[in-house]
Amino acid sequence: MLFKLTKKGNPSFSRMDPILGELFLAAALDPWERYPEAGARLLPLPGEDEGLRLDWQDHVQPELRRHFDHERSLVAHDLRFGMIKGRGKTDVYSLEIPIEHVDAWLTTLNALRLALVEGHGFTEADLLRKTLPDLSSERGLALMQMNFYAFIQECLLQAMEGLAEENG
Amino acid sequence: MVKPGILESPETDLSESLSLPWHVVVHNDPVNLMSYVTMVFRRIFGWDTERARKHMLEVHTKGRSVVWSGRREQAEHYVQQLHSFLLLATLEKSS
């Protein structure tokens, strides 16, 4: 897989193996639906104060949930209209992400990574392990998915940092 | 003994309580990338990279960092913003 910025400044991923393309397509999954046990981590409470907690549940959490759903809808749009499946000796995918959608991608990938951790009970040791996970198990695949999304986030963060430096 | 001219009442205690600063605390999380947390701090608080990294490393090594202190209303706003980036943040009253 290759990563670069286009002339427009959009992050672009190309020559993706099909499995990576499929992982990209899974980025728009609804983490609340797929991993309901992650709800408390995705929408945490602000502290111990009972009044504040109630206020948060009534007003802030619904607003944040709408925000996350909106960001995820932008990612789904990019995947639907920006993901290209090319044909060569083997199928390869490419994807160009509009620079103005990068925040939505960072948030959506983060939400999904957090949900994967909660859903599969990954520990800090699991996350720091440098060896390849057991890809014959669902848990191992989920760990690879999480690490792949972290790599995509790093690419997007570097792209934003590079653009910020260019713009002074 | 009550001094002349000073009213001892629950209102006085409430007033003192409200004047205490509130802390915005960010807690460690093994999932959020260090570069991502640094970017969020820069974005929300308008810090330079050095200051943002200092607080990010404090979160990473000590488990938490007080990133802002002041009025409760503003502190709540910052916690909401940090939650919108999926960082673990809480509000604590200064003791």
Side-chain angles (χ1 to χ4, degrees), chain B residues 40-54:
Chain B
V40 172
F41 286 167
R42 290 183 62 184
R43 189 82 69 84
I44 292 180
F45 300 107
W47 295 340
D48 59 24
T49 305
E50 191 183 352
R51 188 173 178 191
R53 274 186 59 81
K54 178 180 161 283

Side-chain angles (χ1 to χ4, degrees), chain A residues 119-153:
Chain A
H120 292 275
F122 292 130
T123 63
E124 192 159 3
D126 290 325
L127 303 180
L128 293 173
R129 191 171 297 150
K130 298 292 180 195
T131 53
L132 193 67
D134 172 15
L135 297 180
S136 65
S137 69
E138 190 184 344
R139 186 178 160 81
L141 281 168
L143 191 55
M144 185 185 80
Q145 187 179 8
M146 231 209 57
N147 289 332
F148 176 65
Y149 291 156
F151 171 73
I152 300 302
Q153 282 187 301

Side-chain angles (χ1 to χ4, degrees), chain A:
Chain A
M1 183 174 77
L2 298 177
F3 171 69
K4 65 172 185 177
L5 289 182
T6 66
K7 285 177 183 170
K8 290 182 196 167
N10 294 334
S12 161
F13 298 87
S14 59
R15 296 174 63 180
M16 272 186 268
D17 279 353
I19 187 169
L20 300 183
E22 294 298 328
L23 288 179
F24 249 116
L25 290 169
L29 282 178
D30 183 348
W32 274 271
E33 194 178 298
R34 181 72 180 82
Y35 299 104
E37 61 272 45
R41 174 58 190 90
L42 297 173
L43 294 171
L45 289 166
E48 299 302 319
D49 185 287
E50 193 55 34
L52 183 60
R53 289 164 77 99
L54 289 172
D55 187 48
W56 215 259
Q57 285 167 337
D58 288 346
H59 303 289
V60 176
Q61 288 183 336
E63 192 180 324
L64 286 173
R65 176 66 195 271
R66 281 192 293 276
H67 165 71
F68 295 138
D69 285 346
H70 172 69
E71 301 285 70
R72 194 162 47 79
S73 74
L74 294 177
V75 168
H77 176 277
D78 291 343
L79 288 169
R80 187 170 175 194
F81 297 104
M83 183 70 113
I84 297 167
K85 189 177 179 182
R87 296 212 175 268
K89 283 182 182 172
T90 56
D91 291 345
V92 287
Y93 290 81
S94 61
L95 173 68
E96 183 174 332
I97 296 174
I99 189 70
E100 60 271 22
H101 288 184
V102 166
D103 274 356
W105 273 86
L106 288 171
T107 303
T108 300
L109 292 176
N110 224 30
L112 198 48
R113 290 177 63 236
L114 288 164
L116 283 162
V117 167
E118 296 294 322
H120 292 275
F122 292 130
T123 63
E124 192 159 3
D126 290 325
L127 303 180
L128 293 173
R129 191 171 297 150
K130 298 292 180 195
T131 53
L132 193 67
D134 172 15
L135 297 180
S136 65
S137 69
E138 190 184 344
R139 186 178 160 81
L141 281 168
L143 191 55
M144 185 185 80
Q145 187 179 8
M146 231 209 57
N147 289 332
F148 176 65
Y149 291 156
F151 171 73
I152 300 302
Q153 282 187 301
E154 285 286 10
C155 290
L156 297 176
L157 285 163
Q158 279 181 24
M160 285 174 71
E161 202 170 309
L163 283 175
E165 280 173 13
E166 271 180 29
N167 295 331

Side-chain angles (χ1 to χ4, degrees), chain B residues 38-80:
Chain B
T38 304
M39 183 276 287
V40 172
F41 286 167
R42 290 183 62 184
R43 189 82 69 84
I44 292 180
F45 300 107
W47 295 340
D48 59 24
T49 305
E50 191 183 352
R51 188 173 178 191
R53 274 186 59 81
K54 178 180 161 283
H55 280 277
M56 176 277 292
L57 287 172
E58 192 172 37
V59 173
H60 184 66
T61 56
K62 296 182 179 172
R64 53 181 269 146
S65 177
V66 175
V67 293
W68 191 85
S69 296
R71 286 178 51 242
R72 176 171 169 157
E73 192 179 318
Q74 183 64 42
E76 283 180 21
H77 176 69
Y78 280 137
V79 171
Q80 181 172 349

